[in-house]
Amino acid sequence: MTTLTAPPKTAPPPAGHRSPSGVSKWRRRIPLLPALIFTIVVTQLPFVATLVISTFQWNILRPGDRHFTGLSNYAFVFTDERLRAAVLNTVVLTASVVLISVLLGLGLAMLLDRRFIGRGLARTLLIAPFLVMPVAASLLWKHAIYNPDYGLLNGTLNAVYRLFGASNGPTVDWISSYPMPAVVVSLVWQWTPFMMLILLAGLQSQPGDVLEAARMDGAGAMATFRYITLPHLRQYLELGILLGTIYVVQTFDAVYTITQGGPGSQTTNLPYEIYLTMFRKYEYGQAAAAGVVVVLGSIVIATFALRTIASLFREEVSR
Amino acid sequence: MRGPSAMPSTRYTLVTGVAALAVLATGCAGAGGGGSDSGAKSINVLMVGNPQMEDIAKLTKDTFTKDTGIKVNFTILPENELRDKVTQDIATKAGQYDVATIGAYEVPVWEKSGWLHELGSYADKDKSFDEADLLKPMVQSLSGSDGKLYALPFYGESSFLMYNKDVMKAKGITVPERPTWQQIADIAAKVDGAEPGMKGICLRGLAGWGELGAPLTSVVNTFGGTWFTKDWKAQVNSPAFKKATNFYVDLVKKHGESGAAQAGFTECLNAMSQKKVAMWYDATSAAGSLEDPASSKIAGHVGYAYAPTVETKSSGWLWSWAWAMPKTTKKADAASKFMLWASSKKYEQLVGEKLGWARVPAGKRASTYDIPQYQKAAGSFGDLTLKSIEGADPANPGVQPRPTVGIQYVAIPEFQDLGTKVTQEISAAIAGKTTVDKALDDGQKLAEEVAKNYQK
């Protein structure tokens, strides 16, 4: 994080004075070196290994046929029709989950920002979905809610139809008919609390005197929200969107559990496609290359995220 | 920084973590317990988490270990994790396991890669093992290209048709003992809606070479289709393959279970035992669960018929979970003793006496079906299971010669990927998101790519 904060305004010390202090600095750092080396070994070497593997033609089911192929795996990654579809699915999935959960989270945060009896309980209950393990949440949605035979959705539909005298409602096969929305809704359910928490923190940090002044000036609720609250929330919204994006891009559990990437490859996102390449095709080289591309993409997003966080902290400090 | 992707790496760590824990736990038990047994006399066994495997994990200590002094450390994983783990372990020659359960699909593929120890000579030496008693299709599917045995069967299965006898009786329908697929489609139409919410038939629609791929390929075989011809010409969009797939998809769409595109073995077992469907075409090993009153509403009311056919004499598939020994093991003698014991008649007797005869790991020995207690326990389906297995011809399951041995799969490393991708598209056709023709035309392209590796 320190690298991203603004550079110090003071001029660097003249070069001539550096070497003695540099030596003593390094002497002081020696006890820390094992930790540094350990960190590099466990965090960076696997990635270097991945980079190396990504230049090999390597299928573990064909022993003895491992050889260097240069960048052909990357060529495959960028030309493969399935991978391109997976990229598109990842974008659709991530964008819709993040945007919908930000909007819902904003609404819930606004409601929770008011004082009412049982607010603490309501807040705890609203956070709950975020604390459920992703696999457990996916299983819950797949079986308890979407299942056409005994799921909650069709059960409710049937009950409503029966209210109006029909013997049975329609049997909707939610997952097969609406695969992408099915995954998106379950993820929105998980991520809305996260967005709500961040935005609630933003709302509660709003200075009361500014709001009071707005009221005195005769601004309505809508105008206050539009011209005062929203600008104040901007950075919290950005933070929520970027952090959410980083995590939702990596979604695997929901896709694996609810739709298995199907029907066809309509919900196959990048992590699931890489999983298939790794554990069904056993093409280590291709999987590694696809992984590297995803990592590079994530770095781009993460850089923006870190900048936002950094700017957030700068503002807090300057305030 | 992350490795190739988030999920596989966490999955992998999880799997290795579980394995490490298991090894640790058993290691501690050994240190605290006997203390007298020498280190060389313990073997590591990796198994799939099916009920039959959990039984053997329970029974080993007081019988096998007591008799031979060989300690057995079991690691049990779900099927998909097991495949991931065992493939990694054997292919990278990590050598962590002395014995692993693998299926009929893996044996010929891995034998060709030189990963497996030949087992025929061990079986020959042990007179009480009685190799000749093993069912012939089992031996055939577990042998390598050199004709030697590379895995010992633990239990085996074929496929057949299961139906709700009460529904058929109420509708006045007699299911023939050897039905054709056309007859089954007609019956499915008649019994659809026989009870509120009841569908005609359950057929797997969940993508996966071992899910939808298994029943579908057996249907393709009997319609006269094949994945590849003998000289490796891809046939995925050939007229017979298309006809079979269209038949299958139409049948599921019109009279199949609700949520068909997501229904695999487990979902169908559920639908059948909860009376949501009137018929079910699937593995013979499912019968044991359907006849268990604790979990099944139709126990005792299930009828059985041979796998439906069109152009072939029989169409049941063939599968077995079998014991194999990786070449990396340094304890071949101890490991072979365990495998021979686990596949023996003696072990079947032991399970029958200690746990009940319905739980015997059946389907691999002819003599199992002569045991009076077993005949009684498996009365309604035992005989049909045996005949289905014996009728299966893994070398020649269709109307044309095949390049590999195997009925509901193609025994090449690429099939896990090819089968999964093609069944994904067919699953989408079942969900109404694409057409069978489009799915198979796309599949043909993938199959042609694979075929290039084999054409001379």
Side-chain angles (χ1 to χ4, degrees), chain B residues 94-105:
Chain B
Q96 203 181 337
Y97 297 100
D98 303 302
V99 175
T101 56
I102 59 176
Y105 166 72

PDB file of all heavy atoms in Angstrom, chain B residues 94-105:
ATOM      1  N   ALA B  94       4.027 -39.853  -7.533  1.00  0.00           N
ATOM      2  CA  ALA B  94       4.267 -39.446  -6.155  1.00  0.00           C
ATOM      3  C   ALA B  94       4.404 -40.669  -5.246  1.00  0.00           C
ATOM      4  O   ALA B  94       5.111 -40.641  -4.251  1.00  0.00           O
ATOM      5  CB  ALA B  94       3.124 -38.562  -5.672  1.00  0.00           C
ATOM      6  N   GLY B  95       3.714 -41.726  -5.580  1.00  0.00           N
ATOM      7  CA  GLY B  95       3.893 -42.985  -4.859  1.00  0.00           C
ATOM      8  C   GLY B  95       3.395 -42.983  -3.435  1.00  0.00           C
ATOM      9  O   GLY B  95       3.917 -43.687  -2.577  1.00  0.00           O
ATOM     10  N   GLN B  96       2.343 -42.200  -3.168  1.00  0.00           N
ATOM     11  CA  GLN B  96       1.828 -42.148  -1.811  1.00  0.00           C
ATOM     12  C   GLN B  96       0.986 -43.378  -1.477  1.00  0.00           C
ATOM     13  O   GLN B  96       0.879 -43.757  -0.329  1.00  0.00           O
ATOM     14  CB  GLN B  96       0.985 -40.885  -1.697  1.00  0.00           C
ATOM     15  CG  GLN B  96       0.822 -40.370  -0.298  1.00  0.00           C
ATOM     16  CD  GLN B  96      -0.054 -39.115  -0.316  1.00  0.00           C
ATOM     17  OE1 GLN B  96      -0.170 -38.423  -1.341  1.00  0.00           O
ATOM     18  NE2 GLN B  96      -0.670 -38.817   0.796  1.00  0.00           N
ATOM     19  N   TYR B  97       0.405 -43.989  -2.498  1.00  0.00           N
ATOM     20  CA  TYR B  97      -0.534 -45.078  -2.246  1.00  0.00           C
ATOM     21  C   TYR B  97      -0.032 -46.405  -2.807  1.00  0.00           C
ATOM     22  O   TYR B  97       0.584 -46.464  -3.871  1.00  0.00           O
ATOM     23  CB  TYR B  97      -1.902 -44.737  -2.842  1.00  0.00           C
ATOM     24  CG  TYR B  97      -2.474 -43.524  -2.189  1.00  0.00           C
ATOM     25  CD1 TYR B  97      -2.408 -42.272  -2.794  1.00  0.00           C
ATOM     26  CD2 TYR B  97      -3.039 -43.616  -0.914  1.00  0.00           C
ATOM     27  CE1 TYR B  97      -2.891 -41.147  -2.152  1.00  0.00           C
ATOM     28  CE2 TYR B  97      -3.529 -42.497  -0.276  1.00  0.00           C
ATOM     29  CZ  TYR B  97      -3.457 -41.265  -0.892  1.00  0.00           C
ATOM     30  OH  TYR B  97      -3.934 -40.166  -0.259  1.00  0.00           O
ATOM     31  N   ASP B  98      -0.325 -47.475  -2.062  1.00  0.00           N
ATOM     32  CA  ASP B  98       0.065 -48.808  -2.513  1.00  0.00           C
ATOM     33  C   ASP B  98      -1.081 -49.484  -3.256  1.00  0.00           C
ATOM     34  O   ASP B  98      -0.867 -50.372  -4.066  1.00  0.00           O
ATOM     35  CB  ASP B  98       0.477 -49.645  -1.309  1.00  0.00           C
ATOM     36  CG  ASP B  98       1.598 -48.971  -0.525  1.00  0.00           C
ATOM     37  OD1 ASP B  98       2.644 -48.710  -1.128  1.00  0.00           O
ATOM     38  OD2 ASP B  98       1.396 -48.662   0.667  1.00  0.00           O
ATOM     39  N   VAL B  99      -2.305 -49.061  -2.924  1.00  0.00           N
ATOM     40  CA  VAL B  99      -3.482 -49.613  -3.593  1.00  0.00           C
ATOM     41  C   VAL B  99      -4.461 -48.467  -3.825  1.00  0.00           C
ATOM     42  O   VAL B  99      -4.579 -47.591  -2.974  1.00  0.00           O
ATOM     43  CB  VAL B  99      -4.174 -50.684  -2.708  1.00  0.00           C
ATOM     44  CG1 VAL B  99      -5.459 -51.165  -3.359  1.00  0.00           C
ATOM     45  CG2 VAL B  99      -3.256 -51.850  -2.440  1.00  0.00           C
ATOM     46  N   ALA B 100      -5.150 -48.459  -4.974  1.00  0.00           N
ATOM     47  CA  ALA B 100      -6.184 -47.446  -5.219  1.00  0.00           C
ATOM     48  C   ALA B 100      -7.349 -48.101  -5.926  1.00  0.00           C
ATOM     49  O   ALA B 100      -7.155 -49.022  -6.727  1.00  0.00           O
ATOM     50  CB  ALA B 100      -5.625 -46.311  -6.073  1.00  0.00           C
ATOM     51  N   THR B 101      -8.576 -47.638  -5.616  1.00  0.00           N
ATOM     52  CA  THR B 101      -9.714 -48.138  -6.396  1.00  0.00           C
ATOM     53  C   THR B 101      -9.814 -47.298  -7.662  1.00  0.00           C
ATOM     54  O   THR B 101      -9.797 -46.079  -7.608  1.00  0.00           O
ATOM     55  CB  THR B 101     -11.050 -48.019  -5.639  1.00  0.00           C
ATOM     56  OG1 THR B 101     -11.246 -46.659  -5.261  1.00  0.00           O
ATOM     57  CG2 THR B 101     -11.076 -48.896  -4.406  1.00  0.00           C
ATOM     58  N   ILE B 102      -9.894 -47.970  -8.792  1.00  0.00           N
ATOM     59  CA  ILE B 102     -10.132 -47.269 -10.051  1.00  0.00           C
ATOM     60  C   ILE B 102     -11.212 -48.018 -10.810  1.00  0.00           C
ATOM     61  O   ILE B 102     -11.606 -49.122 -10.420  1.00  0.00           O
ATOM     62  CB  ILE B 102      -8.857 -47.125 -10.910  1.00  0.00           C
ATOM     63  CG1 ILE B 102      -8.272 -48.479 -11.257  1.00  0.00           C
ATOM     64  CG2 ILE B 102      -7.822 -46.286 -10.189  1.00  0.00           C
ATOM     65  CD1 ILE B 102      -7.061 -48.393 -12.178  1.00  0.00           C
ATOM     66  N   GLY B 103     -11.722 -47.413 -11.859  1.00  0.00           N
ATOM     67  CA  GLY B 103     -12.838 -48.010 -12.564  1.00  0.00           C
ATOM     68  C   GLY B 103     -12.404 -48.666 -13.865  1.00  0.00           C
ATOM     69  O   GLY B 103     -11.235 -48.613 -14.248  1.00  0.00           O
ATOM     70  N   ALA B 104     -13.388 -49.253 -14.520  1.00  0.00           N
ATOM     71  CA  ALA B 104     -13.100 -49.943 -15.769  1.00  0.00           C
ATOM     72  C   ALA B 104     -12.559 -48.986 -16.833  1.00  0.00           C
ATOM     73  O   ALA B 104     -11.833 -49.392 -17.724  1.00  0.00           O
ATOM     74  CB  ALA B 104     -14.366 -50.633 -16.276  1.00  0.00           C
ATOM     75  N   TYR B 105     -12.916 -47.714 -16.747  1.00  0.00           N
ATOM     76  CA  TYR B 105     -12.436 -46.743 -17.744  1.00  0.00           C
ATOM     77  C   TYR B 105     -10.935 -46.511 -17.609  1.00  0.00           C
ATOM     78  O   TYR B 105     -10.211 -46.431 -18.601  1.00  0.00           O
ATOM     79  CB  TYR B 105     -13.199 -45.422 -17.574  1.00  0.00           C
ATOM     80  CG  TYR B 105     -12.581 -44.229 -18.293  1.00  0.00           C
ATOM     81  CD1 TYR B 105     -12.649 -44.132 -19.682  1.00  0.00           C
ATOM     82  CD2 TYR B 105     -11.943 -43.220 -17.584  1.00  0.00           C
ATOM     83  CE1 TYR B 105     -12.080 -43.040 -20.334  1.00  0.00           C
ATOM     84  CE2 TYR B 105     -11.380 -42.141 -18.231  1.00  0.00           C
ATOM     85  CZ  TYR B 105     -11.452 -42.054 -19.606  1.00  0.00           C
ATOM     86  OH  TYR B 105     -10.901 -40.982 -20.243  1.00  0.00           O
TER      87      TYR B 105
END
